[in-house]
């Protein structure tokens, strides 16, 4: 059985860990609140810009018939996949689930997959699985749209030049609360939704507007996915730290019970020693 000092040292160690995890939970909660507000704003903008793109694509349907950005190529030679993961740990299974889904998607493809990673954990995990990224993007903690622009431009140029025939993105979609879902969705070719036909006057013509809008929409779709993933990451870290703090507190309670038992046993042993010594002295006195 552990000594009183060993149990007390263990309690102090676990208590220190609980303070750290609780502080990390508070920090994650603050980051989550900020990112959730940004993600909600980005979602509204992305939805509206997508609706405009669908209207323009519908208006210029005949002219876009041969545009590969809006129509899948007859054959596929290569596919691009953007994997969004975290740069830090202590977020539960956040990285594990999206890496697993991304790897499964790659295994299902019959053509080569060009992997682009955002976040070191995804890149390293894929490396351990034998998949090397062709490019790795590092973002600041307060990510801005301009940081996504070079990757969006490279993906669109690669698609137009025929280097890849599809572009997909794998990320954890934030569902609210502390829930998220690993998601793999297609970015290119763009598949506009059917819209209610209305009479609009476009100036300039829809084709010219689409030429300007497509890069912007693709860039913002990437940006929205990254914000969604970061929001899900902070939610996962907040939950993980909350569970870790609660587990540490439970362990402290169990250690305290063991400490009290050991202390009581030590007192009992001391009393028995005193009683035994007293009896021995009494026996010696009786003999004399």
């Amino acid at each position: 059985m552990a000594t009183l000092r060993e149990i007390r040292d263990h309690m102090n160690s676990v208590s220190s860990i609980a303070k750290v995890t609780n502080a990390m939970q508070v920090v994650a909660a603050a980051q989550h609140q900020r990112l959730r507000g940004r993600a909600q704003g980005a979602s509204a903008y992305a939805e509206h810009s997508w609706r405009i793109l669908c209207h323009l694509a519908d208006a210029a349907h005949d002219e876009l018939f041969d545009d590969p950005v809006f129509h899948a190529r007859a054959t596929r030679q290569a596919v691009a996949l953007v994997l969004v993961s975290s740069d830090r740990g202590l977020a539960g299974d956040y990285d594990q689930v999206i890496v697993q889904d991304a790897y499964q998607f790659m295994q299902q493809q019959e053509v080569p997959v060009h992997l682009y990673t955002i976040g070191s954990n995804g890149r390293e995990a894929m490396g351990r699985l034998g998949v090397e990224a062709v490019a790795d993007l590092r973002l600041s903690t307060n990510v801005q749209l301009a940081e996504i622009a070079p990757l969006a431009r490279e993906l669109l140029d690669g698609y137009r030049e025929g280097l890849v025939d599809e572009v997909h993105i794998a990320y954890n979609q934030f569902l609210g609360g502390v829930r998220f879902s690993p998601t793999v969705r297609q970015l290119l070719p763009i598949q506009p939704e059917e819209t209610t036909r209305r009479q609009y006057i476009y100036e300039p013509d829809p084709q010219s507007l689409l030429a300007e809008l497509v890069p912007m929409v693709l860039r913002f779709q990437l940006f929205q996915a990254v914000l969604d993933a970061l929001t899900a990451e902070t939610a996962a870290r907040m939950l993980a730290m909350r569970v870790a703090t609660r587990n540490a507190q439970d362990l402290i309670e169990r250690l305290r019970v063991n400490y009290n038992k050991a202390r009581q046993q030590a007192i009992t042993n001391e009393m028995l020693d005193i009683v035994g010594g007293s009896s021995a002295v009494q026996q010696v006195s009786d003999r004399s």
Side-chain angles (χ1 to χ4, degrees), residues 210-229:
L210 279 172
E212 295 293 330
L213 187 60
V214 166
M216 295 172 58
V217 170
L218 178 62
R219 185 165 62 244
F220 208 85
Q221 290 288 324
L222 276 171
F223 182 62
Q224 181 198 10
V226 169
L227 280 181
D228 222 31

Side-chain angles (χ1 to χ4, degrees), residues 117-190:
T117 56
I118 299 176
S120 59
N121 286 340
R123 175 179 54 81
E124 293 172 0
M126 281 298 188
R128 290 191 293 269
L129 293 172
V131 181
E132 294 298 327
V134 299
D136 179 48
L137 182 63
R138 298 297 179 89
L139 302 176
S140 64
T141 55
N142 186 27
V143 59
Q144 300 297 323
L145 183 61
E147 298 178 66
I148 305 295
L151 176 60
R153 184 167 52 250
E154 181 176 348
L155 292 171
L156 183 58
D157 291 345
Y159 182 84
R160 289 191 180 279
E161 293 169 6
L163 301 179
V164 295
D165 301 299
E166 287 181 5
V167 176
H168 298 260
I169 185 168
Y171 68 103
N172 282 313
Q173 182 180 10
F174 178 62
L175 301 178
V178 293
R179 297 177 299 117
F180 60 88
S181 173
T183 303
V184 180
R185 65 182 179 91
Q186 180 175 307
L187 294 176
L188 292 174
I190 297 173

